[in-house]
């Protein structure tokens, strides 16, 4: 079945009350980028350097703070400065997955104090809606699908994830998914597992192309990791992805 016509990011900004979704739509339109970078490096200094080098190409920088070997408590404020300079949002890909009470502590407390610096976080729906209650007030993406092969997040599970997100549209601003799943204009779809050529890695990651994800599947934002960070010239590669992703978006709303 053909999906209904797509609205522009700017139009969608006017159709949602979620402040962070509005902010992200506006950043994408102003910077003309729907590229998110998965900056999976283990050195904080390298992360900060690359964030500064590549920040102009991105709408969202995705982190895994728990892989940093040399994390210090000023990480968040240093990254925030770079994010403000280049106008991108910070998405900590923590994938919370516990009862509401516990995820609330994991989000705000501990060493990382994610709540102090992350603009966006994400969560599994396996515990049920209590996890969203526990993360109320955050800007949350729900994992409706995953990029990895053999994932159990499909079919009825995916449908329930979308329904759960739509029922909590004050906190939930979108989904991690392989395709457009929600017709609520404020819901933003982020898709990881992206390469210029489709394929896989040795540990179950599955890669799809920009056209498959954005044109055929009508997702909104591509999340690219190693195909940029491990490229010979990460900046040039990021610029290439940004152009490809933006022109795919422009074509689908034309
Ligand atoms: P890659 O280097 O492009 O394979 O990195 C993909 C990133 O996206 C990595 O940080 C993963 O943790 C993240 N990811 C994913 O690959 N697939 C998923 O379904 C989810 C997150 Br959710």
């Amino acid at each position: 079945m053909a999906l209904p016509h797509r609205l522009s990011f700017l139009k969608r900004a006017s159709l949602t009350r979620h402040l962070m979704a509005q902010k992200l739509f506006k950043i994408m339109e102003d910077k003309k980028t729907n590229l998110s970078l998965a900056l999976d490096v283990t050195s904080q200094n390298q992360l900060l350097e690359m964030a500064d080098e590549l920040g102009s190409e991105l709408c969202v920088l995705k982190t895994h703070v728990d892989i940093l070997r040399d994390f210090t408590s000023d990480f968040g404020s240093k990254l925030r400065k770079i994010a403000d300079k280049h106008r991108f949002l910070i998405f900590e890909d923590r994938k919370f997955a516990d009862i509401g009470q516990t995820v609330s502590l994991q989000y705000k407390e501990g060493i990382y104090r994610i709540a102090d610096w992350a603009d966006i976080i994400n969560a599994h729906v396996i515990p049920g809606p209590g996890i969203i209650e526990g993360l109320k007030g955050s800007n949350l993406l729900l994992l409706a699908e995953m990029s990895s092969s053999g994932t159990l997040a499909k079919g009825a599970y995916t449908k329930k994830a979308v329904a759960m997100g739509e029922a909590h549209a004050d906190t939930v601003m979108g989904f991690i998914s392989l395709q457009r799943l929600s017709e609520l204009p404020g819901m933003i779809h982020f898709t990881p597992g992206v390469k210029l050529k489709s394929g896989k890695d040795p540990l179950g990651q599955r890669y799809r192309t920009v056209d498959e994800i954005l044109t055929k599947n009508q997702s909104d934002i591509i999340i690219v990791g190693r195909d940029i960070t491990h490229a010979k010239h990460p900046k040039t590669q990021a610029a290439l992805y940004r152009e490809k992703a933006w022109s795919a978006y422009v074509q689908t709303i034309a």
Side-chain angles (χ1 to χ4, degrees):
M1 196 182 73
L3 286 161
H5 185 67
R6 276 188 105 183
L7 301 171
S8 72
F9 293 144
L10 213 54
K11 177 77 189 164
R12 287 164 66 187
S14 71
L15 296 173
T16 177
R17 290 215 301 250
H18 198 297
L19 294 179
M20 194 58 74
Q22 284 175 6
K23 192 168 173 179
L24 179 51
F25 282 132
K26 284 178 188 155
I27 288 174
M28 290 196 281
E29 286 284 2
D30 289 349
K31 289 180 72 178
K32 303 214 179 311
T33 175
N34 49 343
L35 170 65
S36 169
L37 175 68
L39 197 31
D40 295 338
V41 294
T42 55
S43 144
Q44 180 173 302
N45 284 341
Q46 195 190 352
L47 189 154
L48 295 170
E49 270 171 29
M50 288 187 82
D52 198 22
E53 190 195 343
L54 304 175
S56 61
E57 309 297 328
L58 316 175
C59 59
V60 173
L61 179 85
K62 190 176 83 60
T63 56
H64 280 300
V65 71
D66 56 359
I67 67 174
L68 296 174
R69 293 160 170 246
D70 53 356
F71 172 85
T72 51
S73 57
D74 58 1
F75 169 74
S77 58
K78 286 183 166 166
L79 185 56
R80 168 58 48 204
K81 263 198 199 126
I82 299 169
D84 290 345
K85 175 178 161 193
H86 295 290
R87 235 183 129 212
F88 60 73
L89 300 181
I90 306 168
F91 166 21
E92 165 54 30
D93 188 4
R94 170 65 179 74
K95 299 186 184 74
F96 294 99
D98 212 317
I99 59 166
Q101 167 65 14
T102 302
V103 295
S104 168
L105 293 170
Q106 289 171 324
Y107 175 47
K108 295 178 186 148
E109 300 293 336
I111 299 170
Y112 301 122
R113 304 286 182 114
I114 294 167
D116 290 351
W117 51 268
D119 296 303
I120 301 170
I121 55 168
N122 57 355
H124 286 287
V125 292
I126 190 93
I131 193 166
I132 304 174
E133 296 299 329
L135 296 168
K136 213 177 178 70
S138 71
N139 304 300
L140 189 60
L141 304 175
L142 296 181
L143 281 95
E145 292 177 315
M146 292 190 73
S147 60
S148 39
S149 60
T151 175
L152 304 182
K154 59 182 183 180
Y157 182 97
T158 297
K159 281 211 178 87
K160 286 193 174 169
V162 174
M164 215 187 277
E166 290 179 340
H168 294 83
D170 51 341
T171 297
V172 176
M173 61 182 283
F175 301 96
I176 301 287
S177 63
L178 303 175
Q179 59 202 303
R180 174 176 169 193
L181 295 170
S182 173
E183 294 309 323
L184 293 188
M187 292 296 176
I188 307 179
H189 300 82
F190 289 65
T191 304
V194 189
K195 266 200 168 181
L196 294 178
K197 282 196 185 125
S198 54
K200 36 183 136 166
D201 84 355
L203 298 175
Q205 175 69 299
R206 282 193 54 184
Y207 290 110
R208 295 165 176 84
T209 62
V210 178
D211 273 346
E212 180 173 0
I213 293 163
L214 296 181
T215 312
K216 181 164 161 259
N217 293 353
Q218 303 216 347
S219 183
D220 297 310
I221 293 177
I222 51 164
I223 300 175
V224 185
R226 284 165 284 180
D227 214 26
I228 290 176
T229 56
H230 289 35
K232 224 183 200 165
H233 301 291
K235 177 91 177 177
T236 316
Q237 185 82 334
L240 176 72
Y241 266 108
R242 175 220 183 130
E243 267 174 41
K244 273 186 176 294
W246 191 255
S247 72
Y249 156 69
V250 169
Q251 276 171 25
T252 55
I253 57 161

